[in-house]
Amino acid sequence: MAGIWSVLLYVFGVLVGLFGILIITARTYIYWGFRECNSKASMKGKVVLVTGASAGLGKEVARDLAQRGARVIMACRNLAKANKVAEEIRKSTGSDLVEVQLLDTSSMASVRKFANSFLKNETRLDVLVLNAGIVGPASLTYTEDDHELTMATNHFGHFLLTNILLDLVKRSSPSRVVVVSSRNHQYTNGFDPDDLDNKKRPYIGSYQSYNHSKLCNVLFTKQLSHYLEGTDVACNALCPGSVMTEIFYKLPGVLWLQIIGVIVYFSGKTIAEGAQTIIHLAVAEEEANTRGEYYENCRVCPTTDQANDMGLAKKVWEKSEELVDLRAEERHY
């Protein structure tokens, strides 16, 4: 019996050691390339819209921009939670220019209701931060619009929102659109622009569905930037890095996500660190004229041929128009 316990303890020790090496290696890799937003730019007089601002990266971005004097509109689906966060931000920044509005990016009706109300009540939009996102459930799930849930939340909702608000963004120029994607956009298998809703093939699983939606974020940014040529609107996508946010534990049935969450908890960036590239693209003076780039750690990073394929970007845009039923009055490019 003592021999068995010795073997078990030895194996346990080896596993702990390997885990420790993994964590140290991951932290070294992350912090070797980490850069903060060094801009001290004031945002006084600016109107900023941040989707998914009730927690994680969106909350930190809202706090930072409120601290800089911006009027920050937190567009969130959970109003009770978002209002508590807004009050926290008001107290910590001393700003009373923080407000909450209802927006569920998985629902095209919610997007249209929010956007049309925004246009009626606002006269400018200086920075649009498309941050809301989920990793979908393990089983294939469709929304009320018959869209695959992850794609609807991460891509379709933001696609429609941006199109409806685009004329206001252009009239507010110099202005910016900041699209929160992920390095996971590089890891897509079987991406088909004609099957964004996962109707033609077996469900690819929450991991690949998430990756596909993040590729759509980058391709959307590329095509939008093409349409914005000749304007004074900066539009760029980014990966915030490995950050421990709610996304890792909102879906207890998705085991792979829980495992990654544990690793990120020990080795990843803090939320404040993860928000730096978003903030950088929203405020940094040197990024006022950049368009169609992909960023990590506050600097342009190379990405895949697929993510740079303008033909594919146009196909995704056109298919997205069809699937969200983009109306003539909602086109401003």
Side-chain angles (χ1 to χ4, degrees):
M1 181 64 69
I4 293 175
W5 280 110
S6 296
V7 171
L8 290 175
L9 287 172
Y10 175 77
V11 172
F12 178 76
V14 169
L15 291 175
V16 170
L18 290 173
F19 184 74
I21 292 171
L22 173 64
I23 297 303
I24 293 170
T25 302
R27 290 185 71 89
T28 301
Y29 175 77
I30 287 171
Y31 286 100
W32 178 75
F34 174 66
R35 288 186 183 180
E36 291 183 300
C37 174
N38 295 317
S39 173
K40 304 301 180 185
S42 169
M43 295 293 283
K44 288 183 179 179
K46 305 290 187 182
V47 176
V48 177
L49 171 59
V50 184
T51 68
S54 63
L57 296 170
K59 174 183 175 180
E60 178 59 24
V61 170
R63 187 203 63 76
D64 183 280
L65 299 183
Q67 184 75 55
R68 294 172 187 264
R71 176 164 168 256
V72 178
I73 298 168
M74 302 166 55
C76 308
R77 62 183 177 181
N78 186 330
L79 289 182
K81 180 180 178 182
N83 278 313
K84 289 180 181 178
V85 169
E87 186 57 29
E88 280 180 41
I89 293 173
R90 294 186 196 106
K91 288 180 179 178
S92 66
T93 63
S95 172
D96 60 356
L97 301 176
V98 181
E99 60 188 82
V100 173
Q101 294 184 24
L102 179 63
L103 172 64
D104 180 354
T105 58
S106 74
S107 165
M108 301 308 107
S110 176
V111 171
R112 284 189 165 95
K113 182 177 181 179
F114 168 85
N116 290 325
S117 175
F118 192 95
L119 292 175
K120 287 179 182 177
N121 295 298
E122 304 295 336
T123 57
R124 64 182 304 110
L125 177 54
D126 299 275
V127 182
L128 173 59
V129 180
L130 305 176
N131 167 75
I134 64 165
V135 175
S139 57
L140 181 59
T141 303
Y142 286 101
T143 68
E144 60 189 15
D145 304 296
D146 202 30
H147 296 319
E148 191 275 314
L149 179 61
T150 305
M151 189 65 77
T153 305
N154 298 356
H155 171 60
F156 290 140
H158 285 140
F159 174 86
L160 179 59
L161 177 68
T162 305
N163 271 281
I164 297 174
L165 298 181
L166 191 57
D167 185 55
L168 180 60
V169 172
K170 290 194 287 188
R171 287 190 281 113
S172 305
S173 63
S175 50
R176 308 187 188 199
V177 179
V178 181
V179 184
V180 181
S181 181
S182 166
R183 183 179 294 184
N184 278 48
H185 80 270
Q186 301 178 16
Y187 311 125
T188 53
N189 293 318
F191 180 76
D192 181 357
D194 291 319
D195 192 24
L196 299 180
D197 262 336
N198 213 133
K199 299 284 181 64
K200 298 179 181 178
R201 64 192 186 282
Y203 184 48
I204 52 181
S206 55
Y207 177 71
Q208 278 298 326
S209 184
Y210 176 79
N211 296 353
H212 285 199
S213 72
K214 292 295 146 180
L215 175 60
C216 284
N217 290 158
V218 178
L219 292 169
F220 159 72
T221 304
K222 296 284 185 182
Q223 189 64 22
L224 178 60
S225 297
H226 170 69
Y227 288 139
L228 289 171
E229 286 180 6
T231 71
D232 203 5
V233 181
C235 175
N236 297 285
L238 69 111
C239 172
S242 299
V243 187
M244 185 55 192
T245 66
E246 289 185 357
I247 201 168
F248 290 106
Y249 57 84
K250 277 191 171 180
L251 293 170
V254 184
L255 181 59
W256 68 265
L257 196 61
Q258 314 304 309
I259 295 171
I260 293 175
V262 171
I263 295 172
V264 172
Y265 177 82
F266 287 102
S267 66
K269 293 178 181 178
T270 66
I271 289 172
E273 290 166 343
Q276 292 303 300
T277 305
I278 306 174
I279 296 166
H280 174 78
L281 289 175
V283 308
E285 298 89 338
E286 64 268 29
E287 304 299 354
N289 297 311
T290 57
R291 189 177 293 114
E293 301 289 357
Y294 169 73
Y295 284 72
E296 292 183 17
N297 290 314
C298 299
R299 59 181 179 268
V300 175
C301 283
T303 184
T304 63
D305 290 341
Q306 186 179 42
N308 285 314
D309 186 338
M310 291 305 298
L312 183 60
K314 189 171 188 293
K315 288 180 181 178
V316 167
W317 184 283
E318 291 173 347
K319 190 64 179 180
S320 299
E321 282 194 351
E322 175 189 330
L323 290 172
V324 305
D325 189 24
L326 192 70
R327 301 161 188 171
E329 66 271 19
E330 296 170 340
R331 290 184 174 90
H332 301 289
Y333 59 87

